[in-house]
Amino acid sequence: MKHEDKVFALIDVNNCYVSCERVFNPSLNRKPVIVLSNNDGCAVARSQEAKDLGIKMAVPLFQIQELVHKHNIIVLSSNYALYAEMSRRFMQILSTFVSEHEQEVYSIDECFLDLSRYPQNYDLSNYAQQMRKRIFKWIGLPCCVGIGRSKTEAKMANHIAKKNPHFNGVCNLVEMDPLVTESIFQSIDVAEVWGVGRKHSKKLQSMGINTVFDLAISQPQVLGKQFSVVMQRTVLELQGISCIEIEHTPPSKQQIVASRSFGQRITELNELKEALSMYVQDATQRLRDEKLLCGCIVVFVQSNPFDANIPFYNKSCSYALPQPTDNAVELVKLSIGLLDQIFKEGIQYKKCGVILTGLEPKSTHTYDLLTDMSIIKESDDLMDALEAVQQKFGKKKIAVGPCFIPGRSWSMCRDKLSKNYFKWDELLVIMK
């Protein structure tokens, strides 16, 4: 299909985390709400009411305490289990509007659809409104839809739909009068373009490219030489030339990282081992979900980099496995050994973590001729049994080590956590 015949849509949930919370707690509607990051540190989601009060993205909670008290802003901890399930349902609804190869899950709250085959049978603006209405009716999430001749243009259209209520949640740049599109592009900062951001926007502005319109009328080859082929492609996409196709399958992972900051400073080695063993098991689960094997493991520890009173301690240690594996028991054992090498007495640790790298597909791995395949089978059987128990009785019923025993001092601080309304013991209860 020619690039001029391409049509894409980007569907994005408005204020996703806050909107998920409001579905199950309507008392949050029309009130300023913020959702915090791990350990209740920074604001990672804000309702429109909170944005209107001047709360910026990623601002630390301690810096806005006065504002929170003054305006009775509701503060919540991140409920990732709830958001993940709502995202799954959001994507599943959108899959009913296109075929499987026409959908790309871009992030937890964003999805690209290839609508190139649909203009001949549908009014795309009405089709997009059907998506919005069905999503809101079935799972209660408000969203906006941007439609363009390229993925970058669809992304920009979505931004326009969010910022301009008179579009009623759908901006269709494919059918918009070019003069109107030009006028709108002239009013949007170039930093809002997908893939540009603040870093490149400063250089672009020094070249006299201040708005989206300025970038769209630029010479792609010239900017390609000044920046990279990515910028050249971005300009072409803003001109309606599709250069980025729908990704039917996510790209293979290069590494898997599992780490979190602690609820309080940790000084004891045994506590670090407990935390690290949980992170390794989380990473191993993701490894097995992707059907990959790990060939190298990296363990790291850090003190608080923002504490000016004590030197910053940041150490890591790696180990290349002679035989790639996806066995949690083996990876936990190796990580604990690496931790022993980098642990230092007297340090107040703020964070530790693990990186699984040297990844390769399990299905295509070729074992050495001297490999005892009975040991490999025993390893697979053990992991299958462990996962079966966790699936039936819950993740915290069985694990490697005592990492899931409640009340650990290193556990993440989530004092303002809402319920996971998809668990049997936390379902909503309707009182008579």
Side-chain angles (χ1 to χ4, degrees):
M1 182 176 290
K2 297 179 180 179
H3 65 76
E4 58 265 26
D5 298 325
K6 287 284 190 177
V7 180
F8 298 91
L10 176 67
I11 302 87
D12 184 11
V13 179
N14 301 340
N15 311 316
C16 180
Y17 290 1
V18 173
S19 295
C20 290
E21 299 283 357
R22 283 175 165 173
V23 170
F24 299 94
N25 186 359
S27 66
L28 301 177
N29 291 339
R30 294 178 295 279
K31 293 180 180 179
V33 182
I34 61 174
V35 177
L36 302 176
S37 61
N38 289 344
N39 286 307
D40 294 344
C42 305
V44 293
R46 306 152 294 155
S47 67
Q48 187 58 52
E49 294 82 1
K51 294 177 184 178
D52 293 341
L53 292 173
I55 296 180
K56 303 297 183 182
M57 185 66 170
V59 62
L61 178 61
F62 73 87
Q63 292 184 5
I64 56 172
Q65 287 288 8
E66 185 177 340
L67 202 61
V68 168
H69 293 305
K70 181 179 179 181
H71 297 283
N72 295 317
I73 298 173
I74 299 168
V75 181
L76 299 172
S77 301
S78 292
N79 191 338
Y80 297 119
L82 173 65
Y83 310 149
E85 178 58 26
M86 292 295 283
S87 173
R88 186 188 68 80
R89 298 181 183 214
F90 168 70
M91 301 300 176
Q92 193 171 43
I93 292 172
L94 289 175
S95 70
T96 64
F97 287 90
V98 293
S99 62
E100 183 179 356
H101 70 277
E102 294 171 328
Q103 180 180 21
E104 176 188 339
V105 177
Y106 181 66
S107 69
I108 190 171
D109 63 341
E110 292 179 279
C111 181
F112 281 108
L113 301 181
D114 185 345
L115 301 181
S116 303
R117 297 190 299 115
Y118 294 76
Q120 54 189 344
N121 297 318
Y122 296 92
D123 181 308
L124 293 185
S125 296
N126 290 338
Y127 202 50
Q129 288 293 355
Q130 291 179 38
M131 297 178 194
R132 294 182 66 244
K133 291 176 181 177
R134 186 177 299 180
I135 290 167
F136 189 77
K137 181 178 181 180
W138 287 10
I139 58 176
L141 294 178
C143 62
C144 287
V145 183
I147 302 174
R149 297 163 297 172
S150 66
K151 290 172 73 174
T152 302
E153 200 173 65
K155 187 89 169 172
M156 182 53 58
N158 186 278
H159 172 80
I160 295 170
K162 279 190 172 183
K163 297 297 182 181
N164 299 274
H166 65 271
F167 280 101
N168 194 25
V170 174
C171 175
N172 187 348
L173 292 180
V174 175
E175 299 178 0
M176 186 178 291
D177 187 319
L179 294 178
V180 176
T181 302
E182 179 179 316
S183 176
I184 295 175
F185 278 10
Q186 288 176 339
S187 66
I188 303 175
D189 191 281
V190 69
E192 297 295 340
V193 177
W194 184 36
V196 173
R198 294 181 180 178
K199 181 179 178 180
H200 290 318
S201 65
K202 291 181 179 179
K203 184 175 180 180
L204 288 169
Q205 288 165 359
S206 70
M207 300 167 62
I209 301 174
N210 300 297
T211 68
V212 177
F213 178 72
D214 295 334
L215 185 61
I217 63 173
S218 301
Q219 291 295 324
Q221 295 80 3
V222 173
L223 289 186
K225 293 178 180 178
Q226 291 283 337
F227 293 85
S228 68
V229 68
V230 176
M231 184 64 73
Q232 179 176 339
R233 188 173 57 188
T234 297
V235 176
L236 289 170
E237 290 242 317
L238 284 176
Q239 295 174 353
I241 301 173
S242 176
C243 304
I244 310 173
E245 294 295 328
I246 290 288
E247 294 184 5
H248 306 141
T249 57
S252 299
K253 292 182 180 295
Q254 301 299 314
Q255 62 182 23
I256 295 175
V257 182
S259 69
R260 298 189 193 104
S261 297
F262 304 132
Q264 63 186 48
R265 303 295 185 271
I266 298 300
T267 59
E268 298 297 323
L269 178 59
N270 285 337
E271 293 180 323
L272 278 176
K273 288 181 177 180
E274 289 181 6
L276 183 62
S277 68
M278 186 177 78
Y279 303 158
V280 172
Q281 290 173 79
D282 286 346
T284 304
Q285 185 59 61
R286 287 150 57 191
L287 183 78
R288 288 180 59 80
D289 288 343
E290 297 285 339
K291 295 180 173 53
L292 299 172
L293 295 174
C294 169
C296 180
I297 183 169
V298 182
V299 171
F300 63 90
V301 292
Q302 295 177 356
S303 61
N304 186 359
F306 304 107
D307 191 337
N309 299 319
I310 57 175
F312 177 51
Y313 185 79
N314 180 24
K315 292 291 182 181
S316 65
C317 190
S318 64
Y319 177 77
L321 284 71
Q323 178 67 58
T325 185
D326 62 353
N327 186 297
V329 178
E330 182 177 350
L331 291 172
V332 168
K333 183 178 179 180
L334 289 171
S335 66
I336 296 302
L338 295 175
L339 180 61
D340 285 329
Q341 299 180 40
I342 59 177
F343 175 78
K344 184 178 180 180
E345 292 282 356
I347 301 294
Q348 296 182 1
Y349 294 97
K350 175 64 177 176
K351 184 178 184 179
C352 78
V354 62
I355 303 173
L356 304 184
T357 185
L359 308 184
E360 60 176 288
K362 188 172 183 176
S363 60
T364 58
H365 177 70
T366 303
Y367 290 96
D368 189 274
L369 288 174
L370 301 178
T371 300
D372 188 342
M373 296 308 296
S374 65
I375 296 178
I376 302 298
K377 185 178 186 306
E378 287 178 3
S379 174
D380 290 340
D381 291 344
L382 174 63
M383 291 306 301
D384 290 342
L386 180 66
E387 291 173 350
V389 173
Q390 290 178 333
Q391 290 174 6
K392 185 172 183 178
F393 299 102
K395 180 180 177 181
K396 297 183 179 181
K397 293 299 182 182
I398 185 171
V400 181
C403 57
F404 287 129
I405 295 176
R408 318 314 281 171
S409 59
W410 49 266
S411 297
M412 188 166 54
C413 178
R414 301 169 81 185
D415 294 335
K416 304 169 181 64
L417 183 65
S418 58
K419 293 181 178 180
N420 180 359
Y421 304 98
F422 295 101
K423 293 179 65 176
W424 282 109
D425 56 346
E426 296 185 37
L427 288 174
L428 287 173
V429 177
I430 300 176
M431 307 298 291
K432 292 184 179 180

